[in-house]
Amino acid sequence: MNERKLMSGNEATAEGAIAVGCRYFFGYPITPQNKIPEYMSEHLPEVGGVYVQAESEVAAINMVYGAASTGAYVMTTSSSPGISLMQEGLSYMIGSELPGVVVNMVRGGPGLGNIGPAQSDYWLATRGAGHGDGRCLTFAPFSVQELYDWTGRSFTIAQTYRNPVMILADAVLANMIEPCRMHERREHPKQPPDWAVGGVREGRPRHIINSLYVDLPEEEQVNLRIARRYEQAATEEVHFAEYGHEEPQILVCAYGISARICQTAVQRATEAGVPTRLVRPISLFPFPTDIIAQWADRVAKILVVELSMGQFVEDVRLAVEGRCPVELMSRTGGMMMMPEEVTDRIVQMAQSD
Amino acid sequence: MREEVYMAGMGGQGVLLAGQILTQAAMLAGLEVSWFPLYSPEVRGGRATCTVVAADEEVGSPAAGHPAAMILMDKIAVDNHLGRVKSGGLVVVNSSLAGEEFSRDDLRIVPIPANDIATELGGERAVNMVLLGGYVEVTELVTLEATEQALREVIPQRHHSFLPVNVAALQRGAQCATNQIS
């Protein structure tokens, strides 16, 4: 199936999950991601899947928790306030070492906010998953095609690391329509993983899925095991892309929809005489620290562009470790910068260098 | 090559659909393309806008601060957005609702009485197709034939009884734009 089809980001996300065998969806409506549950409710029954509209986000994530403990390919999707409500459940999933896929189509916030594009859940996604010593592996696609591809890939990654994976996107990526190439839909894996619950079979010990460890040293061992998986992910699942000049004066760092805007801005700045390059993290946790550190030694300045008042910029600064100045360009509250404004800022930075 | 076209009008005029049809036509032409909508929650009477960006390489930004082309479907759209068009840019305007007097003289403005033409064709709701036909005719992005093909593919089968009037609207818009230019 190499033909291209126009799809919205929401539809591509939903189809990307079904196409790799996801057969269980639990969610609760919230704009701007409602097209995902709508698509799932229509298409999961076609493939023998289960769609449940839960009574709340808290219920939805706990249904995901239950399905995940049987080894099922399961997902939920929501938007910022809904993801806040899911934090406790996600923490329990991490503590119970369970895979699952959660998509956050971020909206303007804080509070109920609005349905405009935002990237203000960066901390929530990369630090969070509620309380305790765990995190979500987090990926940030930046096109309809990548929403399809990365949502699909997330199920395998979640199973490999026995940890929830979060896909972080926004209202523009959710609603925009672009051509998408899809593969044939695959079946749900027949064989459950060897840790899954599902009725005691002859000869195997009972499986218990739980995050309660009253024995302190045992909890420490569990947390060390989880931490080792993150270290492993940092060697296997660091993803980024680069665009623009080979010997840049200015490096731009942006992810998701901001990176789309910067792709155009960087090209125009280079054409305007300021050699500029874009490094775009695709994996946000694990973070592509090394590539940013390498460029930091070779450029005059770094510009971070994000739709929040400064969250992603902290990871960039941790990678740069003071090697060069890092400036921040923000829009917030559902507003978005235009490529022309980013180009102007790059040129201005080069001139004041 | 990178073409940006911004479309704006009131909810119910078919701004978003016109953009989707152009997007489909660009995809059929083998281009990379993105369609990005911004609209208020009202079904009718609110404001609706979309941006279509087509390119022969990766699209990059799906949004543009100063697009080189616009299709403006009513007076409010002209008042709100004409100032943002890139100097030298193209603007296809629905002159039935926005008149023919404009505040800028550095643009290529193509006024098309889209409501009058649509009413004449017996399809009041085909205003968007009249204007899209005009835009397609005066730009090189996609052909009128590809746009007609895209229309057939985007409109669900159950609405195909409306195809003839919409195809006629595309053609009349194109004709009107040609006359304007010559």
Side-chain angles (χ1 to χ4, degrees):
Chain A
M1 290 210 294
N2 215 23
E3 198 182 315
R4 300 192 299 169
K5 183 172 181 263
L6 285 187
M7 293 184 100
S8 71
N10 278 334
E11 290 168 328
T13 300
E15 181 56 37
I18 293 175
V20 297
C22 172
R23 293 293 178 268
Y24 306 93
F25 182 95
F26 307 97
Y28 187 79
I30 183 170
T31 317
Q33 61 82 54
N34 280 331
K35 192 77 194 176
I36 302 177
E38 185 187 330
Y39 190 98
M40 286 301 203
S41 67
E42 187 180 346
H43 294 283
L44 269 178
E46 290 168 8
V47 289
V50 174
Y51 166 88
V52 177
Q53 181 171 315
E55 67 269 38
S56 71
E57 287 87 348
V58 174
I61 192 66
N62 281 293
M63 291 174 184
V64 170
Y65 182 18
S69 64
T70 70
Y73 274 28
V74 56
M75 94 185 293
T76 186
T77 63
S78 190
S79 179
S80 308
I83 299 290
S84 289
L85 287 167
M86 292 181 181
Q87 293 300 299
E88 183 200 40
L90 279 168
S91 174
Y92 275 63
M93 286 178 70
I94 294 169
S96 305
E97 300 170 81
L98 289 178
V101 175
V102 180
V103 178
N104 182 1
M105 294 297 185
V106 181
R107 50 190 266 165
L112 200 50
N114 59 48
I115 58 169
Q119 298 183 308
S120 40
D121 294 358
Y122 183 88
W123 284 338
L124 186 73
T126 61
R127 272 59 172 171
H131 57 280
D133 214 353
R135 296 161 83 160
C136 283
L137 301 168
T138 305
F139 300 94
F142 86 156
S143 65
V144 170
Q145 183 69 55
E146 284 196 357
L147 278 165
Y148 178 86
D149 294 340
W150 276 99
T151 302
R153 205 173 285 171
S154 292
F155 287 87
T156 327
I157 296 173
Q159 293 284 337
T160 304
Y161 297 97
R162 290 185 62 178
N163 198 84
V165 170
M166 184 168 289
I167 294 288
L168 194 66
D170 67 89
V172 172
L173 288 169
N175 286 319
M176 71 193 236
I177 290 180
E178 293 183 327
C180 185
R181 280 196 169 84
M182 291 175 282
H183 55 78
E184 299 283 348
R185 285 179 177 172
R186 294 198 282 267
E187 296 292 316
H188 189 281
K190 291 273 177 291
Q191 191 66 31
D194 55 16
W195 48 260
V197 297
V200 178
R201 286 177 290 274
E202 197 80 22
R204 83 146 164 79
R206 213 153 50 120
H207 289 168
I208 297 172
I209 301 288
N210 192 2
S211 66
L212 176 68
Y213 296 98
V214 287
D215 176 34
L216 277 50
E218 192 187 358
E219 174 76 84
E220 185 177 45
Q221 287 311 311
V222 172
N223 287 2
L224 289 171
R225 183 164 68 226
I226 292 170
R228 277 196 299 276
R229 293 202 189 106
Y230 297 153
E231 283 167 26
Q232 188 194 338
T235 65
E236 296 168 347
E237 293 296 343
V238 169
H239 300 276
F240 59 88
E242 297 183 81
Y243 311 86
H245 205 278
E246 299 291 328
E247 290 177 32
Q249 179 184 358
I250 306 287
L251 183 74
V252 176
C253 292
Y255 72 95
I257 191 64
S258 298
R260 285 289 294 268
I261 294 164
C262 290
Q263 252 188 315
T264 299
V266 158
Q267 194 180 345
R268 289 180 182 164
T270 304
E271 283 161 15
V274 181
T276 310
R277 191 173 185 82
L278 169 65
V279 170
R280 172 206 157 212
I282 298 171
S283 59
L284 302 179
F285 179 71
F287 193 76
T289 303
D290 292 348
I291 186 69
I292 293 173
Q294 285 162 26
W295 281 115
D297 279 325
R298 297 165 57 187
V299 298
K301 288 176 186 172
I302 293 179
L303 176 65
V304 172
V305 179
E306 61 176 308
L307 301 182
S308 84
M309 291 314 295
Q311 299 189 8
F312 167 66
V313 67
E314 292 201 351
D315 274 342
V316 175
R317 289 199 169 113
L318 285 169
V320 170
E321 290 187 306
R323 290 179 183 89
C324 73
V326 176
E327 294 185 15
L328 171 64
M329 182 174 189
S330 292
R331 288 301 296 267
T332 183
M335 297 298 288
M336 197 164 70
M337 65 283 287
M338 290 293 132
E340 293 89 342
E341 297 167 296
V342 181
T343 302
D344 289 349
R345 176 70 176 262
I346 294 167
V347 171
Q348 199 187 333
M349 279 172 73
Q351 281 162 356
S352 64
D353 185 24
Chain B
M1 181 278 272
R2 175 188 165 88
E3 294 288 338
E4 302 165 341
V5 52
Y6 183 84
M7 307 184 186
M10 71 177 111
Q13 279 189 306
V15 172
L16 304 180
L17 182 61
Q20 282 186 25
I21 290 166
L22 182 63
T23 304
Q24 178 81 10
M27 183 181 75
L28 293 176
L31 296 167
E32 295 300 326
V33 60
S34 81
W35 172 92
F36 149 59
L38 262 185
Y39 49 87
S40 53
E42 301 90 344
V43 174
R44 271 174 182 272
R47 303 304 303 168
T49 75
C50 69
T51 308
V52 176
V53 181
D56 53 9
E57 52 184 351
E58 280 187 54
V59 162
S61 177
H66 302 288
M70 286 195 184
I71 299 176
L72 303 177
M73 298 202 188
D74 67 355
K75 179 81 166 64
I76 299 173
V78 171
D79 292 346
N80 288 349
H81 304 295
L82 194 69
R84 290 200 297 117
V85 187
K86 196 171 165 182
S87 189
L90 167 76
V91 185
V92 176
V93 180
N94 180 5
S95 56
S96 303
L97 299 182
E100 299 201 10
E101 303 274 319
F102 305 105
S103 58
R104 290 181 61 176
D105 55 10
D106 62 331
L107 303 173
R108 218 172 124 212
I109 298 184
V110 182
I112 297 178
N115 280 69
D116 301 322
I117 293 174
T119 307
E120 204 185 303
L121 291 172
E124 286 81 0
R125 288 162 69 188
V127 169
N128 57 345
M129 290 303 106
V130 177
L131 294 165
L132 182 62
Y135 168 81
V136 166
E137 185 64 18
V138 296
T139 54
E140 313 256 288
L141 186 60
V142 293
T143 62
L144 194 61
E145 293 68 39
T147 311
E148 289 176 18
Q149 177 63 23
L151 176 71
R152 280 187 278 275
E153 291 180 11
V154 170
I155 303 298
Q157 201 74 38
R158 65 181 186 279
H159 293 315
H160 273 201
S161 59
F162 297 108
L163 276 179
V165 68
N166 281 285
V167 170
L170 278 172
Q171 290 167 350
R172 280 290 301 278
Q175 204 175 43
C176 185
T178 313
N179 295 343
Q180 296 266 348
I181 282 172
S182 59

